[in-house]
Amino acid sequence: MKPTDIHDPGYYHQVVDCQWACPAHTNVPEYIRLIAQGRFDDAYLVNRESNVFPAILGRTCDRPCEPACRRERIDGAPVAICRLKRVAADLRGDVSDRLPRAPEQQNGKRIACIGAGPASLTVANDLLPLGYAVTMFEQHNVGGGLMRTNIPAFRLPAAVLDEETQIILDMGVDIRYDTPINSMRAVLDEGFDAVFVGSGAPRGKELNLPGRWDEVGDSHIHIGIDWLQSIAFGHIESIGKQVLIIGVGNTAMDCCRSSRRLGGKDITVIARRPRGFFKASPWELEDAEEEQVEILVNHAPTRFVVEDGRLTGVEFDILEWDEGARHSTTVGAVTLPCSDVILAIGQENAFPWIEKDLGVEFGEWDVPVVDETTMESTLPGVFFGGDSAFGPKNIIWAVEHAHQAAMSIHQHCQGLPVAKRAPFGMNLLSTKMGLSQWSYANDYNPASRQKMDHVELTKRFAQLDVEVELGFSVEQTVREVQRCLNCDVQTAFEAPLCIECDACIDVCPVDCLTITANEDEPGLKLKAPRTNADQGLYISDPLPQTGRVMVKDENVCVHCGLCAERCPTAAWDMQKFDLIVPYAGRSLPIVAVTSNGARK
Amino acid sequence: MPSIVKPLIPLATLPRNDLGLTPRNYEGAMSTLCAGCGHDSVTAALMQALFELSIPPYKVAKLSGIGCSSKTTAYFAGEAHGFNSVHGRMPTIATGAIAANRELHYVGVSGDGDSLSIGLGHLAHAVRRNIRMLYVIDNNGVYGLTKGQFSASADIGSTSKKGEANAFAPIDPLMLALSIGATFVARGFSGDKERLVPILKAGLSHRGLALVDVISPCVQFNDHEGSTKSYLFVREHEVSATDFVEPRETIVAHVPDQGVLAVPMHDGSQMHFRAVPAGYDPTDRAAAMHYLQDRHAQGEVVTGLVYADEGVPDLHELSGTPEGPLAAVPFDRLCPGADELARLQDSFR
Ligand SMILES: Cc1cc2nc3c(=O)[nH]c(=O)nc-3n(C[C@H](O)[C@H](O)[C@H](O)COP(=O)(O)OP(=O)(O)OC[C@H]3O[C@@H](n4cnc5c(N)ncnc54)[C@H](O)[C@@H]3O)c2cc1C
Ligand SMILES: Cc1ncc(C[n+]2csc(CCOP(=O)(O)OP(=O)(O)O)c2C)c(N)n1
Ligand code: SF4
Ligand code: SF4
Ligand code: SF4
Ligand SMILES: [Mg+2]
């Protein structure tokens, strides 16, 4: 196999599983170490640089980093990355003087952002410090988007949301509340230098079954996201005793838990498919079930039962699924009584306000045609991001789209091609402090994942906005930070120094190193077979004495540094990898790479 | 000295042997030797051999003398019995232990200083008695522990770290052992576990004393240019007497027909030699000695299983001792009393 090019930042980036999985490339191990040192301000700012909303995301993030976490492959449970983010946010002091600021002098360019959700706010966050004038149009009288209107306050307290959105607005956004945009043409006519569409995916899907429109008077059939919004704005304060929620995604989880707080007693979430095929995140399911919400699987709604103009129940087919839950057969039918039904079966994009003759092309499902790298639409100067771009995703994707869109807008406004993008860079710095001394805690800690404590069931329903998760205690934090394997402290190898003594091979606690004849896979004979082809395989240059190669399977390396400690020639070194992520207006990253030790 | 103990990582993918043990069950304390010391690799090879043969660690007795090499018995099979004796006396202590309990697997680890200088006489008599043990010499050409003086295995003209040349003729433990009736002699290289592990496994299965001389570079005092025990020198001057397929494996099919010699072992398994030089016969003592001498004169280092003879009884067989360990013989039989003693003494009059 060809020797690995470790000067490509992509190689080591992939080793940092969490950072690789995070859409915004949050430097997780770095902020966890900072928390371990009690440097909460710094930990917060490391987060904010990439994900912009650490306190919000520390409570609500979809956390794609966690299933990717190396620790999961070691002891079965990932580091509680998201909870630790909240620790950094909760325990930070006043960081206001370290936040980005808009310059005195603007650069004369005007940007319109449609919507005041996380996507638009991130665009403003990235562009205001560069001197742009950002005008933001929001149909409601308050910002935050779905984070405000749909994520219930028992998961995300208003104060937390206010604080982090206000930081950006206070940088100098010209925010126009109560201003629904009804015509894109009108916006374009105002002569903005660029327009960012961050209007989300605002339409909840309907379920057009018999009986849907038969109710007389108040409807007891609700569209999940609209219903949650009505709660957020105080328009809805109660619900009937027997509630059926159709759908088993994250919206359904928020609906059932909200129902519980508004007076629902007998709450059932109805799933078409068996467990294991639910869309909801495992932790959201767990939290809902803790609140005694029942989940009923293999039921497909067929009819709303309306008697005397009043909803009394829903009729369902009972399904049986094949393995893999691809095909079902109906094996029976049942009517479940109810007072209310909440439909939580998905969201759609809707752009009735974008005129079809402007040059903004739309594809299937009314989704705009958007370049996945530049976030530009087919009309130059008009960019999309967040749920508006490719349909509903989540906050962290909205943030990442917006970073990319901001970079494009900056290029666009300078008359540069938007496709020409700054590359990723890296810094590699030795962590060696002395003989067997490192600037990070290299020992493996066998602590198990800490469980988040919740407010007691009896207390949490008292008010709609009692935050359920208590956050980690100091003790839990101290234990959890030790579980991080410092995947960013990389094993860096220099083949010319190696004398092939085997010391590193023998000491490695996970058998991930091999010295062997260079062959293409599967001929490559490894000390422990490779079980995860998604993980990097490092191949060195030929070794001086025998011409064999050093091979490292990155999969389960615990970054303990023992290979480097036992190497007599410092051919291995533990080097801290810093991914340099390009942002709008930041000068091109410098690549600085240190070499191994003195005995060269 | 590493800053941490090699952590126990609960990986589900660890291999298991017939006893259900993982290689990690064969580890001992963390090594305190210099980083890169060949001895640590020999330790790793020993762990591998014990693991692969599914020998329960508590059925192992580890014996050693004094030296960096002799320290290594602490670094494997933590659950095993062990005795770290005085300088050069490992074979003596081993003889006593083996006499008392023939049921354990004996692994002696010594150094070239320990075995070829102060302990030379003890080594010789253990070989003559053919006590059943694996006797490993971690051979680095120096007294590592006392900072790198030449040992008795240093070649004439090889230089110390400061550049001084050795003037005295070396003792080759294999030649010595062959000349006094050894039944199993082999040489390995710590930098080549692929061939060392099978040799150690064969040694652990041998009927009597299996002497394995392992060239094990002292990275601190004898890994320089001018040394004939350095990683580079061995790699450049190694010749194989034999290459062989390890015992207890039925992979005869993989062995080329030509030049293959099957030697049945005492425990019923077979050793399959692949004779590398044409006509090399690892059961011919005189030929083996000749070959060793010849190659050494060419400045080459002979590795491989040089000689084996499974036909010679070990000390217990020769002495007609009871089948079981003496430790398990009931006290009244072991010590039948004053009357029996008097009768015995009378019989000598
Ligand atoms: C019930 C529910 C729970 C969720 N929970 C989570 C969670 O826990 N974690 C997570 O990461 N994600 C969650 N999400 C998804 C997440 O909220 C969205 O992916 C994210 O908010 C998208 O951000 P955005 O900026 O693209 O759009 P939005 O947040 O939807 O913001 C769009 C904004 O634009 C405004 N707007 C729309 N059209 C116009 C117009 N024509 N004129 C003016 N203003 C307009 C809207 O009022 C809104 O304020 C959840 C979604 C729902 C529905
Ligand atoms: C009776 C006695 N004499 C001398 C010594 C000093 N001494 C300690 S180790 C050693 C030599 C060890 O050499 P070797 O067996 O080759 O081991 P290495 O350290 O090279 O592995 C000597 C002479 C001693 N410990 N005891
Ligand atoms: S840091 Fe080195 S010794 Fe530790 S697990 Fe990784 S490769 Fe193995
Ligand atoms: S410990 Fe160092 S010199 Fe020895 S094999 Fe490993 S990298 Fe090479
Ligand atoms: S001094 Fe030599 S023999 Fe002793 S531990 Fe160090 S390298 Fe090994
Ligand atoms: Mg020695």
Side-chain angles (χ1 to χ4, degrees):
Chain A
M1 297 176 79
K2 268 188 31 200
T4 307
D5 177 14
I6 56 167
H7 296 280
D8 170 3
Y11 181 75
Y12 283 143
H13 185 187
Q14 194 183 349
V15 175
V16 194
D17 297 278
C18 45
Q19 194 178 22
W20 181 253
C22 174
H25 318 297
T26 301
N27 191 344
V28 175
E30 174 73 358
Y31 83 68
I32 292 181
R33 275 191 302 271
L34 289 168
I35 293 172
Q37 294 163 20
R39 291 167 60 186
F40 305 113
D41 292 3
D42 294 330
Y44 180 82
L45 290 169
V46 164
N47 266 290
R48 195 184 182 284
E49 160 120 337
S50 48
N51 59 52
V52 185
F53 305 105
I56 294 171
L57 287 164
R59 293 166 165 84
T60 62
C61 191
D62 254 357
R63 48 196 101 147
C65 51
E66 291 196 14
C69 174
R70 179 172 301 258
R71 186 77 188 205
E72 158 120 57
R73 304 197 290 277
I74 301 295
D75 70 1
V79 174
I81 297 170
C82 191
R83 270 70 194 265
L84 290 174
K85 195 188 309 294
R86 173 173 169 184
V87 168
D90 286 358
L91 301 188
R92 77 186 192 274
D94 180 7
V95 294
S96 47
D97 58 343
R98 296 173 67 186
L99 294 173
R101 248 180 265 257
E104 302 270 303
Q105 189 69 42
Q106 291 199 326
N107 68 8
K109 304 282 182 191
R110 294 166 57 242
I111 312 299
C113 287
I114 299 170
S120 288
L121 288 167
T122 300
V123 168
N125 176 72
D126 286 8
L127 292 182
L128 285 167
L130 303 178
Y132 287 88
V134 177
T135 308
M136 200 175 280
F137 302 100
E138 168 57 51
Q139 64 188 3
H140 297 306
N141 64 359
V142 55
L146 289 178
M147 304 191 298
R148 171 87 56 190
T149 59
N150 263 245
I151 298 182
F154 57 82
R155 287 207 289 126
L156 176 59
V160 174
L161 178 59
D162 287 342
E163 191 174 11
E164 288 193 323
T165 51
Q166 206 57 44
I167 286 174
I168 297 170
L169 295 174
D170 286 350
M171 250 194 269
V173 177
D174 176 11
I175 176 88
R176 314 271 179 88
Y177 290 124
D178 296 314
T179 312
I181 296 298
N182 298 315
S183 162
M184 180 66 137
R185 189 184 310 279
V187 176
L188 293 176
D189 285 349
E190 282 189 45
F192 289 102
D193 292 285
V195 176
F196 177 76
V197 181
S199 57
R203 189 190 283 160
K205 283 194 185 148
E206 254 305 341
L207 191 59
N208 278 313
L209 293 175
R212 170 66 180 93
W213 310 106
D214 292 357
E215 278 180 290
V216 185
D218 279 355
S219 174
H220 290 271
I221 303 173
H222 319 277
I223 302 273
I225 65 166
D226 298 343
W227 183 72
L228 288 169
Q229 178 175 315
S230 302
I231 298 172
F233 287 132
H235 303 321
I236 286 184
E237 282 167 347
S238 68
I239 195 160
K241 296 264 178 286
Q242 268 185 322
V243 187
L244 295 180
I245 288 116
I246 315 272
V248 69
N250 286 339
T251 303
M253 297 302 109
D254 284 337
C255 290
C256 66
R257 297 178 72 192
S258 297
S259 303
R260 165 74 68 234
R261 286 160 176 78
L262 294 185
K265 289 276 170 274
D266 185 1
I267 301 164
T268 312
V269 174
I270 313 280
R272 272 182 78 86
R273 307 215 293 168
R275 242 169 223 277
F277 298 90
F278 297 172
K279 275 201 175 152
S281 315
W283 56 89
E284 301 230 10
L285 267 169
E286 207 177 288
D287 292 350
E289 292 195 292
E290 176 181 303
E291 296 180 1
Q292 283 130 37
V293 166
E294 206 193 319
I295 297 182
L296 191 60
V297 298
N298 303 342
H299 279 59
T302 51
R303 187 168 78 90
F304 294 98
V305 183
V306 179
E307 287 165 6
D308 306 327
R310 216 175 56 85
L311 177 75
T312 59
V314 179
E315 226 174 75
F316 293 92
D317 275 351
I318 303 172
L319 307 179
E320 221 172 65
W321 293 89
D322 61 354
E323 215 175 306
R326 268 171 228 284
H327 301 287
S328 64
T329 38
T330 304
V331 295
V334 65
T335 301
L336 300 177
C338 67
S339 50
D340 290 81
V341 171
I342 303 174
L343 303 176
I345 53 175
Q347 284 161 260
E348 293 170 325
N349 291 42
F351 299 99
W353 51 277
I354 300 185
E355 293 83 353
K356 300 296 172 229
D357 59 353
L358 292 174
V360 180
E361 276 175 38
F362 286 85
E364 254 187 312
W365 318 111
D366 207 19
V367 179
V369 176
V370 174
D371 183 293
E372 282 186 31
T373 312
T374 65
M375 305 310 292
E376 194 170 32
S377 72
T378 52
L379 181 63
V382 174
F383 301 85
F384 284 73
D387 289 357
S388 75
F390 311 113
K393 287 198 164 166
N394 54 34
I395 301 168
I396 192 66
W397 268 114
V399 168
E400 174 57 12
H401 287 166
H403 282 315
Q404 296 305 321
M407 237 192 312
S408 299
I409 290 171
H410 188 48
Q411 295 278 99
H412 174 82
C413 289
Q414 296 173 91
L416 298 170
V418 293
K420 191 169 160 265
R421 311 189 76 76
F424 283 96
M426 67 170 172
N427 271 314
L428 278 178
L429 267 180
S430 179
T431 59
K432 196 174 188 130
M433 305 290 282
L435 206 60
S436 300
Q437 277 187 314
W438 309 100
S439 63
Y440 73 107
N442 59 322
D443 205 357
Y444 173 84
N445 192 308
S448 52
R449 183 178 162 112
Q450 302 298 298
K451 199 168 161 31
M452 173 63 73
D453 288 331
H454 288 175
V455 173
E456 286 167 49
L457 279 176
T458 47
K459 297 200 179 138
R460 77 171 75 149
F461 303 134
Q463 258 171 301
L464 199 55
D465 59 356
V466 175
E467 187 174 15
V468 172
E469 296 191 344
L470 290 169
F472 274 163
S473 68
V474 174
E475 292 75 18
Q476 286 177 307
T477 303
V478 165
R479 274 186 226 119
E480 194 62 37
V481 290
Q482 302 288 338
R483 298 185 68 242
C484 174
L485 296 168
N486 299 291
C487 301
D488 61 333
V489 181
Q490 306 281 356
T491 52
F493 185 69
E494 289 213 21
L497 297 178
C498 176
I499 57 169
E500 299 169 63
C501 69
D502 273 6
C504 55
I505 317 282
D506 296 336
V507 82
C508 176
V510 291
D511 293 336
C512 64
L513 304 177
T514 308
I515 296 180
T516 186
N518 194 357
E519 302 272 353
D520 282 333
E521 281 190 292
L524 201 65
K525 267 202 253 159
L526 298 184
K527 189 168 181 204
R530 196 173 179 209
T531 54
N532 189 345
D534 294 339
Q535 290 288 318
L537 191 68
Y538 168 81
I539 310 278
S540 76
D541 286 330
L543 301 178
Q545 293 197 7
T546 64
R548 296 178 297 169
V549 287
M550 178 71 75
V551 182
K552 182 186 177 206
D553 180 354
E554 298 284 4
N555 186 29
V556 287
C557 168
V558 293
H559 299 262
C560 65
L562 278 175
C563 48
E565 291 192 13
R566 293 312 278 165
C567 179
T569 65
W572 284 113
D573 188 23
M574 302 308 290
Q575 299 188 352
K576 188 161 112 47
F577 163 80
D578 235 322
L579 182 71
I580 300 174
V581 180
Y583 294 104
R586 308 260 183 100
S587 55
L588 283 185
I590 333 130
V591 178
V593 180
T594 59
S595 62
N596 296 3
R599 271 176 76 170
K600 187 136 187 207
Chain B
M1 181 69 182
S3 65
I4 57 170
V5 171
K6 178 169 170 174
L8 255 183
I9 311 287
L11 288 182
T13 49
L14 279 177
R16 293 190 179 269
N17 64 13
D18 294 346
L19 302 171
L21 300 179
T22 75
R24 310 273 340 232
N25 296 114
Y26 289 84
E27 290 177 356
M30 280 304 272
S31 168
T32 57
L33 302 186
C34 302
C37 177
H39 302 351
D40 281 334
S41 280
V42 183
T43 303
L46 276 168
M47 290 193 268
Q48 186 68 20
L50 292 167
F51 166 77
E52 286 179 17
L53 291 176
S54 293
I55 295 175
Y58 72 92
K59 284 278 200 188
V60 174
K62 307 173 293 183
L63 304 138
S64 63
I66 298 292
C68 298
S69 34
S70 294
K71 287 172 70 177
T72 64
T73 45
Y75 310 145
F76 67 94
E79 280 176 32
H81 308 274
F83 198 109
N84 190 188
S85 78
V86 285
H87 206 14
R89 270 56 172 195
M90 182 274 275
T92 320
I93 302 291
T95 308
I98 291 167
N101 188 344
R102 61 191 294 180
E103 280 198 340
L104 300 178
H105 298 265
Y106 289 89
V107 179
V109 184
S110 176
D112 43 330
D114 196 56
S115 278
L116 304 182
S117 290
I118 192 168
L120 190 69
H122 301 277
L123 163 67
H125 292 286
V127 171
R128 280 181 61 242
R129 289 175 180 139
N130 203 27
I131 52 178
R132 186 167 184 192
M133 73 179 298
L134 170 64
Y135 192 124
V136 177
I137 300 178
D138 289 350
N139 189 347
N140 54 16
V142 288
Y143 298 170
L145 191 67
T146 55
K147 306 258 175 291
Q149 301 84 352
F150 288 124
S151 78
S153 74
D155 287 307
I156 295 177
S158 76
T159 59
S160 70
K161 200 174 180 179
K162 281 245 168 97
E164 185 194 351
N166 172 46
F168 304 108
I171 300 173
D172 178 346
L174 303 194
M175 284 291 287
L176 172 72
L178 283 169
S179 72
I180 52 177
T183 54
F184 184 114
V185 300
R187 180 142 46 222
F189 170 41
S190 70
D192 184 359
K193 277 198 217 70
E194 228 173 292
R195 293 174 62 229
L196 178 57
V197 172
I199 289 177
L200 295 175
K201 285 165 74 177
L204 282 163
S205 312
H206 178 60
R207 184 175 182 177
L209 187 141
L211 182 70
V212 183
D213 179 39
V214 187
I215 308 295
S216 170
C218 171
V219 74
Q220 193 63 257
F221 299 114
N222 206 10
D223 193 38
H224 45 264
E225 214 176 307
S227 160
T228 57
K229 301 270 190 298
S230 69
Y231 284 108
L232 188 59
F233 184 91
V234 179
R235 288 197 166 108
E236 285 178 344
H237 296 83
E238 190 182 359
V239 288
S240 300
T242 61
D243 195 4
F244 76 114
V245 180
E246 50 199 88
R248 297 203 186 170
E249 277 196 18
T250 47
I251 49 172
V252 187
H254 297 279
V255 180
D257 294 342
Q258 244 210 334
V260 171
L261 188 80
V263 177
M265 301 207 65
H266 192 58
D267 62 3
S269 61
Q270 283 205 332
M271 233 172 344
H272 294 271
F273 290 92
R274 254 183 307 214
V276 173
Y280 186 82
D281 179 0
T283 62
D284 181 339
R285 185 182 299 267
M289 291 177 79
H290 185 75
Y291 183 74
L292 282 176
Q293 213 155 28
D294 205 37
R295 294 287 112 190
H296 187 256
Q298 305 293 318
E300 290 174 338
V301 183
V302 174
T303 57
L305 211 171
V306 172
Y307 176 79
D309 180 357
E310 287 291 306
V312 181
D314 79 335
L315 179 63
H316 278 289
E317 294 173 86
L318 284 167
S319 331
T321 52
E323 287 291 308
L326 289 187
V329 175
F331 184 75
D332 53 350
R333 281 203 57 207
L334 200 63
C335 184
D339 292 349
E340 270 306 313
L341 179 63
R343 223 188 329 269
L344 180 72
Q345 283 173 330
D346 275 345
S347 74
F348 295 142
R349 287 183 215 279

